[in-house]
Amino acid sequence: MAELTLDGTNLRIAESTEKPDSAQRIFPGSYWEERFSRAALKNKYELTAPSVAMEVQSKVKSLSETLASFRWPDQGFGLFNSRLVVNDSLLDKNISASLVHKDDVQRYYRYYSRGFSGEVATSLDAGTYKFDMSLGDSSDSLEVEISSGMTNDQVLEAVRDAVNESSLHVQARIFKQNAVGSNPDDLLGTGSALAFSVNTAYVVTAENRGDSTQNLDSANELSFSDTRGHLISGLKLYATQKPIGPADEARYDFSSASAGGPSRFLGKAFDANAVTTLATGDHSIAYTIGTESGTIDFYVEDGDDWNTVLTRIADRAASTSAKIDAEVVDGKLVSPVYTGDDYYMIDGIAVSISAVNPKIGERLVLTPGSGLDALGLNATAHPGADAEMTINGYREVRAPGEFAVDRGRVTVELEGHFGDSLPLRVVDAVTEMEKNVGLVTDSYNDLRKSILPAADLFREGFADLWRDPVNGNAVDLEWMGLKEAEEDKLLWFDSDAFYDALLAEPDKVRELLEDEKDGLFTRWQEVNNEVITNKASSYLIPETSLPGPWLPEPSPRTELELEVKRELVDTFEDSFDFNFDDPADGSGRIFSTKG
């Protein structure tokens, strides 16, 4: 056995061990390597963690938005005959567009009259003409007075006004055209023609008809019949036909849009429990809406508080007319407490009175009687307005703001204001779905590419939150065109395979993507929502787990690290349990034999 002499001390090497991976050889190196790697990770964390978290958060939001753009068509047609609506991004916050199920399609314009030479004297005799107008279960008896010498235009205007003043949600409009097709839709008559319409917002569907068992076609049917004279028969009305088949693939340009709304009066706020300041006795608020007028009558008793009075006003207003609604709402009023710098607001109540489903041009006007100025109804009045929008060059007006295009197969609800011309497209559903799955795949890959280079900055398994749904159903997903590839496990999308899968088993494809529990897109969106809510930065490893190389051992970051730490301690105790008095200890360690 070889011996060495160092500073008078005899040293000798113990017999070599047969453990090539003994703790003697690997522990010191692994220890320092771990300390320095953690120091490097700490430096990386301090330099890049905030920006990486922001980038990941942005990519998660992008994936979420791309997933939201994927929709499965549901208009009652076969998948390969279905359509989808695609908005310009600037339209999203201003309109809500949808395709109508084939069973619920109704035309906006229901009837047209024949064309008349507007300046020519009418052929109708002077007198009073009466006719009934019905919409579903509701009907109204209308009357038109025709005097000698009236022109055709004047007769059409008289009929228009009678219809527009009726209680039914039917509108009449006069079109003038010199040639067929110069106005929208399928008006055939030239000259002056009368058009009768029903806003698609009032269409009865299987979902909104409640307990009624009436046939949907009957519930939406508009009809006219003469009861005195032959005014309706003289107009020679012809009904428009419902379209056959899915919506047309087309582009619509919307511009100069102004969202409307009903008239609304919101009173001042009051302390609910405070005694009213209104005089005891009877009071009234006069109203007019369209051709209807009347009064909202109520009374005040001695000692009534504001809650009692405002509730009484709301109840009487709502019961006075079917065209008026009212309620007591929450409000804010100035507190009597003043600090010298600011006034404070406290909770209160107010009365709100508004028009119900007004027709085009209808406005609610309130005139409070003497002594009711304290209610402040007119001070906060919203006068109301019709919704207006230019569609492919034609100015259209609606009340409420739902516009129907493509003969009722596409509805557009106006929710905001905009001036620029913005497009909406109706496209083939399968083509759009295929494109959107590709966009989702790209967005998923972008997210993965942003996470993987910085995976050590995030808690263990963070990147797998999105990969697990893919890995757990790899065979079926590959069948429909989604397959993991490369070392980073990015997704590859085969559009041809996706198309073939849709053609063969569309229901299975939909389940793979949108099943409420196990669908790929469903699970991804659940993860997105959770990460967006918690913020990606909350998934970073704790900074306290990354001290410098000369500081104490960092605290474990995960359950796994805690277990590994415990095992290393056990290994150290087992491997280094030897007798220091025996220089030939089998550990192979060099130690002093002096003395």
Side-chain angles (χ1 to χ4, degrees):
M1 183 175 297
E3 292 188 3
L4 297 176
T5 300
L6 180 63
D7 294 333
T9 302
N10 292 328
L11 301 174
R12 62 181 174 184
I13 301 176
E15 294 179 358
S16 62
T17 177
E18 295 181 358
K19 302 176 183 179
D21 296 325
S22 67
Q24 175 207 359
R25 295 185 179 181
I26 66 169
F27 186 80
S30 297
Y31 174 80
W32 292 112
E33 181 180 357
E34 172 71 9
R35 299 303 293 269
F36 280 106
S37 65
R38 292 241 174 153
L41 183 58
K42 178 178 176 63
N43 187 52
K44 178 181 178 181
Y45 187 100
E46 292 173 344
L47 292 175
T48 66
S51 60
V52 166
M54 289 178 61
E55 180 184 0
V56 170
Q57 182 84 359
S58 174
K59 298 295 184 182
V60 173
K61 288 182 177 179
S62 178
L63 176 59
S64 180
E65 292 168 358
T66 309
L67 285 169
S69 68
F70 179 86
R71 286 164 293 148
W72 199 275
D74 187 20
Q75 297 104 52
F77 300 101
L79 179 62
F80 284 80
N81 288 319
S82 289
R83 305 287 182 261
L84 287 172
V85 172
V86 180
N87 285 351
D88 181 281
S89 59
L90 295 177
L91 275 176
D92 288 340
K93 62 182 179 181
N94 293 311
I95 71 168
S96 176
S98 61
L99 290 151
V100 181
H101 191 279
K102 67 176 183 179
D103 295 336
D104 297 329
V105 172
Q106 294 288 338
R107 300 290 294 270
Y108 176 70
Y109 290 110
R110 303 290 186 86
Y111 283 92
Y112 292 112
S113 75
R114 73 174 181 87
F116 292 88
S117 297
E119 301 302 322
V120 175
T122 180
S123 61
L124 295 172
D125 295 331
T128 300
Y129 292 79
K130 294 182 179 181
F131 62 94
D132 288 341
M133 180 174 67
S134 300
L135 179 61
D137 289 335
S138 303
S139 62
D140 204 352
S141 295
L142 307 180
E143 183 178 302
V144 174
E145 190 73 28
I146 296 179
S147 59
S148 178
M150 288 180 71
T151 64
N152 285 325
D153 273 351
Q154 290 173 323
V155 172
L156 296 180
E157 289 169 2
V159 176
R160 176 198 63 192
D161 294 343
V163 170
N164 290 343
E165 291 170 2
S166 74
S167 60
L168 301 183
H169 291 296
V170 182
Q171 296 284 164
R173 174 182 179 182
I174 297 175
F175 282 104
K176 294 179 182 289
Q177 63 179 16
N178 296 323
V180 175
S182 59
N183 273 305
D185 215 67
D186 50 7
L187 175 61
L188 301 178
T190 57
S192 298
L194 197 59
F196 298 92
S197 60
V198 178
N199 195 311
T200 52
Y202 299 119
V203 168
V204 179
T205 66
E207 288 73 24
N208 67 18
R209 67 178 173 178
D211 297 330
S212 173
T213 58
Q214 185 182 18
N215 179 275
L216 291 181
D217 287 334
S218 299
N220 293 300
E221 182 181 4
L222 175 65
S223 62
F224 299 87
S225 61
D226 287 310
T227 57
R228 177 189 288 183
H230 301 284
L231 177 59
I232 295 300
S233 60
L235 293 176
K236 296 188 182 301
L237 301 182
Y238 63 92
T240 57
Q241 301 300 310
K242 290 184 182 181
I244 298 174
D248 293 333
E249 295 182 44
R251 168 177 168 148
Y252 301 92
D253 291 305
F254 302 103
S255 62
S256 304
S258 176
S263 306
R264 182 171 184 249
F265 295 79
L266 179 63
K268 290 167 54 178
F270 300 96
D271 183 346
N273 300 315
V275 176
T276 180
T277 58
L278 298 182
T280 301
D282 295 330
H283 298 274
S284 65
I285 301 172
Y287 75 88
T288 60
I289 179 168
T291 59
E292 182 182 327
S293 61
T295 58
I296 301 168
D297 301 317
F298 67 97
Y299 63 90
V300 176
E301 294 183 344
D302 186 35
D304 280 347
D305 58 29
W306 278 111
N307 182 62
T308 301
V309 172
L310 297 184
T311 301
R312 193 175 291 146
I313 294 173
D315 291 343
R316 294 305 298 270
S319 62
T320 297
S321 171
K323 291 189 173 184
I324 298 177
D325 191 20
E327 61 179 333
V328 176
V329 297
D330 294 332
K332 294 290 183 181
L333 65 152
V334 178
S335 168
V337 177
Y338 178 56
T339 64
D341 296 320
D342 298 299
Y343 286 98
Y344 290 88
M345 306 300 290
I346 60 175
D347 293 335
I349 58 172
V351 65
S352 172
I353 303 175
S354 56
V356 176
N357 296 330
K359 299 178 72 171
I360 292 175
E362 280 190 345
R363 306 289 181 263
L364 174 63
V365 178
L366 297 181
T367 307
S370 177
L372 297 182
D373 291 343
L375 292 175
L377 285 169
N378 284 311
T380 54
H382 184 283
D386 300 324
E388 299 185 35
M389 183 163 59
T390 299
I391 305 174
N392 289 349
Y394 293 98
R395 189 66 176 170
E396 299 287 351
V397 181
R398 299 287 186 272
E402 182 168 296
F403 298 76
V405 297
D406 192 14
R407 303 180 181 184
R409 289 181 289 193
V410 181
T411 60
V412 178
E413 186 172 354
L414 182 58
E415 300 171 347
H417 305 268
F418 58 92
D420 295 337
S421 180
L422 301 173
L424 176 146
R425 292 181 296 115
V426 177
V427 299
D428 176 72
V430 172
T431 302
E432 184 68 12
M433 291 164 64
E434 180 183 313
K435 183 190 80 173
N436 285 337
V437 173
L439 293 176
V440 169
T441 304
D442 291 340
S443 188
Y444 168 85
N445 289 337
D446 286 344
L447 172 60
R448 191 159 179 82
K449 288 175 184 177
S450 69
I451 293 176
L452 292 183
D456 51 353
L457 299 180
F458 289 94
R459 296 179 186 273
E460 186 177 351
F462 178 65
D464 293 332
L465 292 175
W466 290 270
R467 185 176 173 240
D468 286 345
V470 179
N471 197 38
N473 202 12
V475 175
D476 283 336
L477 291 178
E478 183 175 349
W479 165 78
M480 60 161 252
L482 289 173
K483 179 182 179 180
E484 285 190 332
E486 305 176 9
E487 183 179 351
D488 290 338
K489 302 301 181 183
L490 300 178
L491 274 184
W492 176 69
F493 175 56
D494 184 344
S495 59
D496 290 337
F498 180 75
Y499 187 90
D500 291 342
L502 279 178
L503 185 65
E505 297 186 60
D507 291 340
K508 180 178 178 180
V509 174
R510 185 171 191 177
E511 183 178 354
L512 287 172
L513 296 178
E514 294 189 324
D515 182 78
E516 292 184 2
K517 181 180 179 182
D518 298 321
L520 176 65
F521 288 0
T522 303
R523 293 182 63 184
W524 273 351
Q525 198 64 284
E526 289 174 354
V527 174
N528 292 340
N529 293 338
E530 183 177 347
V531 173
I532 291 172
T533 300
N534 297 335
K535 296 190 176 181
S537 57
S538 69
Y539 295 87
L540 292 168
I541 56 178
E543 191 171 7
T544 56
S545 66
L546 299 170
W550 315 114
L551 299 177
E553 184 72 13
S555 59
R557 294 173 292 177
T558 64
E559 293 281 344
L560 179 61
E561 288 188 358
L562 190 61
E563 181 63 26
V564 170
K565 181 180 179 71
R566 187 180 299 112
E567 291 178 0
L568 283 174
V569 171
D570 293 342
T571 301
F572 179 86
E573 291 177 347
D574 293 343
S575 301
F576 290 85
D577 185 16
F578 54 84
N579 185 357
F580 283 93
D581 294 332
D582 184 1
D585 190 277
S587 67
R589 184 180 178 88
I590 300 178
F591 55 90
S592 173
T593 58
K594 183 179 180 180

